Amino acid sequence: MTDNTYYVRAKIDELGVFASCEYFSDYAATERVTPPLWVPADAGFCFISQADGSDLALMGTVFKTLGQGPSLNISNYCPASDDGTVAISMPTTSTVTKGAVLLFADPKTVTMLYPSQDPQITNTPP
C-alpha cells in the first residue's frame, strides 16, 4: 500500500440493499483499517481499490467535503477504473475531511447498485 491507497472488501448487507464494507491497507485484505482513512496533506488523492475476496464489484464513488453544501457534479464523482479503483481528490493547501459513498454492484451482471456507509477521509495525521 502507498500511504494514500486503501482496499475495500464488500458484501451485501442483511437487508439486501447496502454494501457492508471492510477496509484494509493491503490488497490481500489481511491488515484491517478502521475509518476515518488518513492520507498525507500533500497526497492530492485518496485511492480506494477493490480488495481480494470482495463479493461485490466497486463501480464508483461520490464524495463531498464535510461542512459544505450538497452537490453532484464531475468534481465529486469518480467511476471505478478497469482495475476497480476510485480516486477521491483531496486539497494540498488546506485540511479537510470528506465523506464518500462507494457504489458497488454484483460482479458479473449489474442488477442493482449497493451504496456503502460513509467512510470519512482526511488529509491530516491521525
Side-chain angles (χ1 to χ4, degrees):
M1 174 185 116
T2 62
D3 52 1
N4 64 334
T5 301
Y6 292 92
Y7 298 87
V8 61
R9 187 167 55 196
K11 62 182 179 182
I12 301 170
D13 76 341
E14 52 281 340
L15 297 175
V17 294
F18 294 103
S20 176
C21 298
E22 297 177 293
Y23 298 91
F24 302 88
S25 62
D26 63 315
Y27 172 76
T30 60
E31 300 292 324
R32 191 165 179 178
V33 176
T34 303
L37 307 177
W38 303 92
V39 297
D42 62 351
F45 288 91
C46 175
F47 297 102
I48 299 177
S49 293
Q50 185 172 310
D52 190 34
S54 185
D55 291 348
L56 297 172
L58 181 58
M59 302 299 290
T61 185
V62 292
F63 51 91
K64 74 177 256 356
T65 302
L66 299 182
Q68 293 184 354
S71 65
L72 181 57
N73 55 54
I74 193 66
S75 67
N76 64 350
Y77 167 75
C78 180
S81 64
D82 289 343
D83 69 350
T85 300
V86 296
I88 299 164
S89 61
M90 300 295 288
T92 57
T93 58
S94 61
T95 299
V96 300
T97 299
K98 291 192 176 189
V101 175
L102 302 174
L103 303 171
F104 295 89
D106 300 304
K108 300 208 187 256
T109 304
V110 177
T111 57
M112 183 171 168
L113 289 177
Y114 302 95
S116 70
Q117 290 184 339
D118 180 4
Q120 292 186 1
I121 303 146
T122 189
N123 60 349
T124 58

